[in-house]
Amino acid sequence: MKIRATQAIMECLLEQGVDTVFGYPGGTILNVYDELYRYQDRIRHILTAHEQGAAHAADGYARSTGKVGVCFATSGPGATNLTTGIATAYLDSSPVVFITCNVGENLLGKDAFQEVDITGIAMPITKATFLVRDARQIPDVMRQAFAVAATGRPGPVLIDFLKNVTAADQEVDYTFIPWRENRQSESLRVLTGSHEPKKPEPDDHDIEILRQMIAQAERPLLLCGGGVVRGRAHQEFRAFAEKLDAPVAITLMGGGGFPGDHPLTTGMIGMHGSRASNVACNECDLLIAVGCRFSDRVALDPATFAAQAKIVQIDVDRAEIDKNVTTDHHIIGSARRVLTLLNEGMSQYHHPEWKARILPMRAPSAAGTDARLTPQQVLETIRQRMPRDAIVATDVGQHQMWAAKYLHFTYPGQLLTSGGFGTMGFGLGAAIGAQMGNPDKQVFHITGDGCFRMNCHELCTVEHYGLPIISVVFNNGTLGMVRQWQNLIYGKRYSQTTLDRGPDFVKLAEAYGIRGFRVRSQAEMVQALDQALAAGTGAVIDCVLDMDEMVRPMVAAGSPITDFLLS
């Protein structure tokens, strides 16, 4: 049947199971928004304060639900405001379809008002970009975009429609394709005439080689990476870890892939990794990394990383193999599929001496009863009071590392953080997306005062939609992580990191119609958090911390993983 071009966009969204989009309208995308008005009973639109907030919200929705997120923006600055969010999703393999509209065909390439080549700009930070010049392409391109975003290693895709393509007189032939679990791959097969895309099937011989390596190992270490989280392979990973009976180190992006309070967990690995994880990496004789790309924050010095071990890398993306660390063996395939095959018929191993060497090192320090408030006290208060299934979205910096260290994440999508791109300003948008996708869960936004200045305008979104997001601000009056480097490496030359300026975050929260609290002790933190949780509405808790609090441990960039600057 023939339908309006913009109607085809909406119908294709419904095909893919989309019920929520995030965005900000403008001139060139008005035809799409006009159509969205007719679909408002089936597709909910969340209006953010800024396009970057919309991008992060769609990303947070995708990470927390396992679905594909969707974000709308107009041309020019509207589209370019998405780029930080697109890059954030790309570096962390989050499936989001970004839909923009550009000037009409007659103005393309003429430097028209709010014209920009967004497909060209976004090409290096997406899995694919599409510039749609012909309305007849809409159903095919829409389905293909969702297919690419979700298939294999997930990631963002951008579609840019010329404005004339979305005009009222444009009609297209449209046939409904029912939404189903394998909808992305099926759609792509139908559209392109190619074979149905599949995740690479692990090679049986490669599986057998790893089984033999495991049988010979005396000091194995498992590394849980972001691929376990993205692939929702947490159950298979846990079964494998328990059969292997080995310590498990977790990357920042692997948070939630393996329970943080499991008896085998050694905590985070890398620059701010725990002593247990870093020493285990240095002393193990077999390192099995699942869904980990060995970034420079994990393998700080590739030449000495796991120097005593045979390194095995399991990843769905062949391009990641041997990119940062040279491996002794690798298996190409999704984390879930590879682990399923490994678990089949795997013997139960026992490594008591190895565990006795490593696991005692993970003992956390006590929170203490200091009169002044400490980061550990703040997070211990949150951990003790938050529901076990609560979602935590962070920004980037010291608070991010403290949250990863002191909070225990138990399932994929529980921790939302920008690990690859390191985006200050990610947290509140991501929290909004997570809350929209998980209305029955409590969402916490953990941030620093520097980061909060970059996204606090989204408090209007929190208030307008009645979201019970609690923002906890680690307010130390400085760009804490940068100051920490200046303190330890740059001779205490604190160049432009002191944040001796407004706003008053409590008054700011109140200006947005949200309750604000300021706390200077653990007792005040307990009282404020209890009140915020009981109210069931949005809140901001401004935690006043010492300027020179540091994240411990710390290893300098490029150094061996056990060369701790701070113990």
Side-chain angles (χ1 to χ4, degrees), residues 15-273:
E15 271 183 22
Q16 301 297 327
V18 174
D19 57 13
T20 305
V21 300
F22 303 86
Y24 204 95
T28 61
I29 201 171
L30 273 181
N31 293 333
V32 175
Y33 270 87
D34 189 54
E35 192 68 52
L36 181 64
Y37 185 86
R38 300 182 177 96
Y39 280 76
Q40 60 185 301
D41 59 332
R42 286 173 283 175
I43 300 176
R44 173 180 57 174
H45 181 274
I46 306 303
L47 177 65
T48 57
H50 190 280
E51 289 91 353
Q52 184 175 331
H56 294 324
D59 188 354
Y61 178 93
R63 297 188 198 210
S64 64
T65 64
K67 301 177 182 178
V68 177
V70 180
C71 181
F72 287 178
T74 196
S75 63
T80 56
N81 280 344
L82 295 178
T83 54
T84 297
I86 296 171
T88 302
Y90 184 69
L91 266 291
D92 287 345
S93 303
S94 184
V96 183
V97 172
F98 293 90
I99 294 176
T100 59
C101 288
N102 217 320
V103 298
E105 183 82 50
N106 63 316
L107 296 175
L108 201 62
K110 297 183 178 179
D111 296 330
F113 179 68
Q114 292 189 338
E115 179 196 357
V116 73
D117 179 13
I118 190 59
T119 53
I121 291 170
M123 193 173 295
I125 52 173
T126 55
K127 288 186 71 178
T129 61
F130 300 90
L131 176 61
V132 182
R133 295 171 176 263
D134 186 338
R136 291 173 295 181
Q137 298 176 328
I138 288 175
D140 287 358
V141 168
M142 288 288 292
R143 291 165 184 156
Q144 190 169 355
F146 277 85
V148 172
T151 302
R153 180 177 181 173
V157 174
L158 182 134
I159 310 172
D160 192 33
F161 295 102
L162 298 188
K163 186 171 184 180
N164 55 284
V165 169
T166 66
D169 61 349
Q170 293 294 310
E171 291 188 334
V172 300
D173 289 318
Y174 171 78
T175 301
F176 177 73
I177 297 179
W179 178 85
R180 52 180 182 241
E181 281 301 311
N182 66 345
R183 63 197 181 279
Q184 291 92 354
S185 58
E186 174 66 15
S187 297
L188 188 56
R189 183 189 65 78
V190 170
L191 294 173
T192 63
S194 64
H195 293 295
E196 187 172 316
K198 296 178 180 178
K199 294 177 182 177
E201 179 65 14
D203 185 274
D204 290 340
H205 181 62
D206 290 339
I207 297 289
E208 185 56 35
I209 290 175
L210 179 51
R211 286 202 180 105
Q212 294 172 11
M213 296 174 76
I214 290 170
Q216 296 168 5
E218 296 180 356
R219 303 184 307 279
L221 174 66
L222 262 178
L223 185 51
C224 179
V228 177
V229 174
R230 292 291 171 269
R232 297 311 198 248
H234 52 299
Q235 294 177 345
E236 292 80 4
F237 186 93
R238 178 169 180 165
F240 180 62
E242 291 174 348
K243 285 186 176 183
L244 185 60
D245 190 41
V248 178
I250 304 173
T251 70
L252 177 63
M253 295 312 301
F258 189 71
D261 56 359
H262 192 281
L264 293 173
T265 300
T266 58
M268 191 165 65
I269 188 172
M271 177 174 285
H272 295 291

Side-chain angles (χ1 to χ4, degrees), residues 277-301:
S277 291
N278 287 13
V279 170
C281 180
N282 195 51
E283 297 184 3
C284 67
D285 63 0
L286 176 64
L287 175 64
I288 304 173
V290 184
C292 169
R293 60 189 176 88
F294 296 120
S295 77
D296 61 307
R297 288 299 189 264
V298 172
L300 294 94
D301 177 19

Side-chain angles (χ1 to χ4, degrees), residues 278 282 300-301 304-305 555-564:
N278 287 13
N282 195 51
L300 294 94
D301 177 19
T304 61
F305 182 76
V555 179
S559 299
I561 201 167
T562 53
D563 283 7
F564 294 104

Side-chain angles (χ1 to χ4, degrees), residues 9 29 82 133 152 200 219 255 351 358 384 441 448 457 541:
I9 295 173
I29 201 171
L82 295 178
R133 295 171 176 263
R219 303 184 307 279
H351 299 98
I358 295 300
Q384 291 168 6
K441 293 182 180 179
H457 48 269
I541 302 177

